[in-house]
Amino acid sequence: MNQAHTERLPLKPVIQDVNQWPLTKTTSERKEFKAQVRTRTLNALKRNFQDSSEFYELLKNVIYLEKIRLTQNPWKTDKQSEALFWADIKAQMLELEKQNNHTSDHHLEGILTQIINHYLQEILSRFEPRAYRFAQRILPYFYGGLLKSAPGRRIQKFWRSKDSIYDRFIFYGDIERLRALSSVGPLIVLPNHQTNLDSPTIGYGIDLLGLPAMTYGAGINLFTLPWLSKKMNQLGAYKVDRRKKNAIYLEVLKSYSSVCLARGVHSLFFPEGTRSRSGTLINKLKLGLLGTAVQTQKDYVLDEGKKNKPVIIVPVSINYSFTLEAESLIDQHLKKQGREQYIKEASVTATSYRLLSILFSHRYTKPEIHIAFGEPTDIFGNKLDASGRSLDVQGNFINREEYFRRGNDHVHDDQRDSVYAQDLGQIVQKGLHDNKVVLSSNIVALVAFRMLRASFPKLDLYELLRLPLEDVTWEWDDFLDACQRTIDHVRIKASQGNCILSTQLDRSTTAIASHGVKHLGIYNSKRALLRSSDGKLRSESLLLLHFYANQMEAYVDNV
C-alpha cells in the first residue's frame, strides 16, 4: 500500500520561534546543563564503583588507556593539550600515592570531576540558530544539484527543471501525528545508515517537516576541518570518540544524552553505529544510547510533574537509488569477508573531468530520496495516542509506571533496565526493516544479480564477481518476466507490513524496470546496469551490482 505523504512541502514549523526550541534553550543554559551532566555522571559512577579502592583502580585504568590512545592510535583531531592534561592527572595521582591519600574519597572525586569536565568540554554541542538558518538556505541548492531540481518553488520557473527540490523528497508515515507528538515528549529518531549523505539528508528532511532541530552524535574523526567542525557543532552535533572505551567517558556520553532528553531535546542517532559496508541492514545495533531512553523514561515516571511524559521512539528508513561511496564500502566488506578469495576490480580514477561527465550523462534523470518514518512508540514498543499515552494492542491505556515497579515501589534495577534496552533494540531493528521503501532500482539490482547467479550455479560469489564483463548479459524480455515475479512478491510483503512500496512502483513492469536501470547507482564511476544498443542489459561493475542487490536480499524469497 502506498503511504506517501502528499501535503505540500515545506511544512509550517511546529514551533515558530527558533529560540523556543528545546535545543536552543539548552544551549543558552549551557552552564546549568553541564552541571546536570556532571552530577549525573558522578552519581552513576559512584553507584557502580562504591569502594574508594575501586575508584582508584578506575582512574589508573583510564589514565593508562588514554596514554595508549594518544601514543598508539593518534588522530588529527587530538589536541596537543590532551597530552598535557593527562600528564597532569597522572602527576596528581602520583602525589596522592606519595602522601598516602590514594584512598581518600574527597581527593579521588576531585580528580574524577576534572576528567568528567575534560570529556564534557570535548563532547559539548553549541547549537547556533544563525548557523541553522544558513544551512536552511544552502541545503536546497546542494540537493537541487544532486537531485536535478530547482532549489525552491519561488524560483522554479527560472530553473531548467520542472520539479522543485520538494518534489524529490518523498515522505511516508503518519507525519501529522509525529509533528503533534514532538510537542508532547522528546523524539529519538533512529535512521538506517548507508552513506555519509544520511546526516544532512535526515537533518534537512526533519526541517522540511517543520520539526525542531535535533542534537546528534558525530564521530570525532569528522571534525578534522576547523570550518566544518564549527558548523557541525553549531548545527547540534556533539562529538563522539569511538576509540575511548573507558567507563568514565562512556558514562559521560550516556549522561549527556540522558540530560538532553530530560530537557526535552529531540535526539537523532544511527543505531547501526556505522555505514553498512555490504549494503544490507546491520543486525547488531549499538544499545548504549538506547539505554539512555530507558533511563530517561524512568526519570519521567519518578517525577510527579513529568510522569505522563513519554520518550518517543521513531525508526526511520532513508532510501536512495545511489550510494555515493558504494564502491569503497563493498570493497571494504569483501576484503574483510573474502580475504585472499577477493580480487578488487580495476578502479576508475576520479578526475574532475570524470566527475563532470558523470553529472552530464545523467542530466535527464530524476533521482529521488524516499524517507519513511515508522510508527512512533514508547520505549516498550507500545503505540501512542496524540497526547502521548501508551496503548496496548486493543487500544487500552497502559500505565508506564508499572514497568518500573516492584510491588508498590519504584526500584532501581540495572539488570531490568538492560533487558528493556535489549528489547528496545529489537523493536528498532524491526522498525528499520519494515519501513524499507522499495525503489525501482532495488528491484532491478536484485533481479539482475539473482539471474546472474542462476546462470552460473557452480560459481561461488568471488568467482562470480571475477567473470569477464563481456560474458555477462541479460535478455530484456527474460529480465522483465523476473521483475514481474519479484514485484508481485514485494507487493505481498508490503501488504503484510514488511516493507513499503515507493511511488516509483505505481506504473507498469516495463516502466519500473526502465526507471530502475536508468537511476541505479547513477553517481558511481561505473554503471551497475545499463541497456546497450542491442537491447540487452550489461554491467560495468558486478561488484556494484552485488552491493545494490544486497539492499533487497532480506525482502524477497527465491521467486
Side-chain angles (χ1 to χ4, degrees):
M1 183 176 66
N2 194 321
Q3 305 173 34
H5 180 74
T6 56
E7 191 172 344
R8 186 180 176 92
L9 298 173
L11 302 185
K12 181 180 177 181
V14 174
I15 302 175
Q16 291 281 356
D17 185 358
V18 68
N19 293 311
Q20 295 303 310
W21 289 358
L23 183 54
T24 311
K25 293 166 73 174
T26 295
T27 301
S28 66
E29 299 165 359
R30 190 179 303 125
K31 185 176 181 180
E32 180 185 347
F33 172 77
K34 289 169 68 175
Q36 290 173 336
V37 175
R38 182 165 52 247
T39 300
R40 192 182 192 99
T41 305
L42 277 169
N43 290 339
L45 290 171
K46 287 178 180 178
R47 194 166 57 244
N48 296 329
F49 300 90
Q50 298 179 2
D51 186 81
S52 58
S53 61
E54 291 180 347
F55 251 123
Y56 179 70
E57 290 301 321
L58 168 66
L59 293 173
K60 283 178 60 178
N61 179 254
V62 170
I63 293 169
Y64 170 75
L65 291 175
E66 288 292 34
K67 179 183 177 181
I68 295 297
R69 174 180 65 86
L70 291 170
T71 56
Q72 297 185 15
N73 190 20
W75 284 358
K76 290 182 180 180
T77 51
D78 295 333
K79 296 180 180 179
Q80 293 182 348
S81 58
E82 279 203 81
L84 297 174
F85 172 81
W86 290 108
D88 180 58
I89 292 294
K90 183 177 181 180
Q92 292 182 52
M93 290 287 287
L94 291 173
E95 185 63 25
L96 287 182
E97 290 182 14
K98 183 178 178 181
Q99 297 180 5
N100 202 29
N101 284 329
H102 59 281
T103 57
S104 166
D105 289 343
H106 172 72
H107 289 92
L108 292 176
E109 187 172 319
I111 294 176
L112 177 59
T113 300
Q114 291 178 60
I115 295 174
I116 292 172
N117 287 336
H118 174 75
Y119 284 147
L120 184 53
Q121 191 63 28
E122 175 190 284
I123 293 168
L124 193 65
S125 163
R126 296 171 177 81
F127 180 72
E128 173 56 60
R130 285 182 299 177
Y132 192 83
R133 284 190 285 265
F134 176 76
Q136 286 178 312
R137 293 192 296 269
I138 292 299
L139 283 176
Y141 288 90
F142 170 75
Y143 282 104
L146 188 71
L147 305 181
K148 312 290 175 48
S149 55
R153 298 194 192 279
R154 291 182 180 179
I155 59 175
Q156 186 174 344
K157 62 183 179 180
F158 301 109
W159 221 258
R160 284 189 171 186
S161 173
K162 294 181 180 179
D163 298 329
S164 82
I165 184 65
Y166 309 125
D167 299 315
R168 301 292 174 80
F169 272 80
I170 317 296
F171 293 97
Y172 303 78
D174 193 342
I175 302 302
E176 284 309 311
R177 190 152 68 93
L178 181 66
R179 281 164 53 84
L181 286 170
S182 70
S183 298
V184 175
L187 304 176
I188 300 183
V189 174
L190 302 159
N192 61 321
H193 201 7
Q194 302 178 56
T195 166
N196 286 330
L197 193 59
D198 290 335
S199 291
T201 296
I202 189 62
Y204 186 50
I206 285 167
D207 182 61
L208 288 178
L209 297 181
L211 296 169
M214 302 187 177
T215 190
Y216 62 98
I220 201 169
N221 55 300
L222 300 176
F223 289 78
T224 51
L225 298 174
W227 65 271
L228 181 60
S229 174
K230 182 178 179 180
K231 289 301 177 187
M232 288 178 64
N233 203 250
Q234 290 176 336
L235 291 173
Y238 61 89
K239 299 175 185 175
V240 179
D241 191 338
R242 303 193 190 283
R243 295 171 300 168
K244 296 173 182 170
K245 305 293 185 183
N246 70 75
I248 298 176
Y249 181 78
L250 295 178
E251 199 58 58
V252 173
L253 268 183
K254 290 178 185 177
S255 296
Y256 187 97
S257 177
S258 292
V259 174
C260 281
L261 290 172
R263 295 173 71 93
V265 176
H266 305 304
S267 296
L268 163 72
F269 77 91
F270 296 97
E272 294 172 299
T274 185
R275 293 166 297 163
S276 170
R277 265 55 182 176
S278 65
T280 60
L281 276 175
I282 297 174
N283 290 324
K284 191 173 181 180
L285 303 186
K286 303 293 183 182
L287 298 179
L289 290 182
L290 288 181
T292 66
V294 176
Q295 181 62 49
T296 303
Q297 187 63 76
K298 182 170 66 175
D299 291 346
Y300 282 164
V301 164
L302 298 177
D303 186 333
E304 191 63 33
K306 297 180 179 179
K307 63 187 304 181
N308 294 322
K309 192 172 186 176
V311 175
I312 303 163
I313 304 300
V314 188
V316 179
S317 176
I318 311 173
N319 306 269
Y320 319 81
S321 61
F322 57 88
T323 299
L324 298 178
E325 61 270 50
E327 290 152 300
S328 63
L329 291 175
I330 191 63
D331 179 59
Q332 293 170 35
H333 169 69
L334 291 176
K335 274 182 181 176
K336 183 178 180 180
Q337 184 186 63
R339 298 184 181 179
E340 71 280 352
Q341 296 182 70
Y342 170 60
I343 299 175
K344 184 178 179 179
E345 283 184 354
S347 58
V348 177
T349 305
T351 62
S352 298
Y353 174 79
R354 175 65 183 173
L355 294 175
L356 286 172
S357 66
I358 290 174
L359 289 172
F360 185 76
S361 65
H362 300 300
R363 63 193 183 280
Y364 298 120
T365 58
K366 293 184 177 182
E368 298 169 339
I369 296 176
H370 294 248
I371 304 177
F373 286 83
E375 175 80 39
T377 69
D378 64 16
I379 63 167
F380 309 107
N382 302 308
K383 293 183 179 181
L384 299 167
D385 66 11
S387 63
R389 296 185 304 175
S390 297
L391 306 172
D392 64 17
V393 290
Q394 282 80 36
N396 300 313
F397 170 65
I398 297 174
N399 186 356
R400 286 186 290 265
E401 288 186 67
E402 298 299 327
Y403 288 96
F404 299 104
R405 278 182 178 162
R406 186 177 297 158
N408 294 323
D409 300 320
H410 296 108
V411 294
H412 179 84
D413 188 334
D414 286 336
Q415 184 175 2
R416 174 203 62 197
D417 295 348
S418 176
V419 172
Y420 286 161
Q422 291 174 22
D423 291 344
L424 178 55
Q426 294 178 4
I427 292 166
V428 172
Q429 182 78 54
K430 188 175 188 309
L432 291 176
H433 178 277
D434 291 351
N435 284 284
K436 161 73 177 176
V437 180
V438 182
L439 309 180
S440 62
S441 55
N442 297 140
I443 298 292
V444 299
L446 180 68
V447 168
F449 199 77
R450 286 192 171 180
M451 288 179 70
L452 179 65
R453 280 198 147 168
S455 298
F456 300 93
K458 294 184 179 181
L459 300 185
D460 65 25
L461 173 63
Y462 303 97
E463 292 171 329
L464 202 65
L465 296 176
R466 291 196 294 268
L467 282 172
L469 293 176
E470 58 269 21
D471 294 343
V472 179
T473 61
W474 294 263
E475 294 291 340
W476 182 247
D477 288 341
D478 295 338
F479 181 72
L480 288 181
D481 289 341
C483 282
Q484 182 62 64
R485 292 193 299 273
T486 301
I487 292 167
D488 291 342
H489 184 82
V490 169
R491 291 190 192 283
I492 294 172
K493 289 283 187 178
S495 69
Q496 296 169 343
N498 299 132
C499 61
I500 297 172
L501 300 181
S502 74
T503 52
Q504 296 175 359
L505 302 190
D506 297 339
R507 54 187 83 182
S508 69
T509 301
T510 301
I512 292 171
S514 298
H515 184 274
V517 170
K518 186 177 181 179
H519 288 84
L520 177 65
I522 58 173
Y523 292 124
N524 300 129
S525 62
K526 298 179 182 179
R527 294 302 307 274
L529 276 179
L530 71 165
R531 198 171 179 190
S532 57
S533 56
D534 60 7
K536 294 181 180 181
L537 283 179
R538 301 181 184 276
S539 175
E540 293 179 344
S541 173
L542 297 180
L543 196 66
L544 282 172
L545 185 62
H546 173 53
F547 175 84
Y548 287 114
N550 282 345
Q551 294 178 348
M552 275 297 290
E553 277 292 346
Y555 297 88
V556 181
D557 304 329
N558 293 322
V559 294

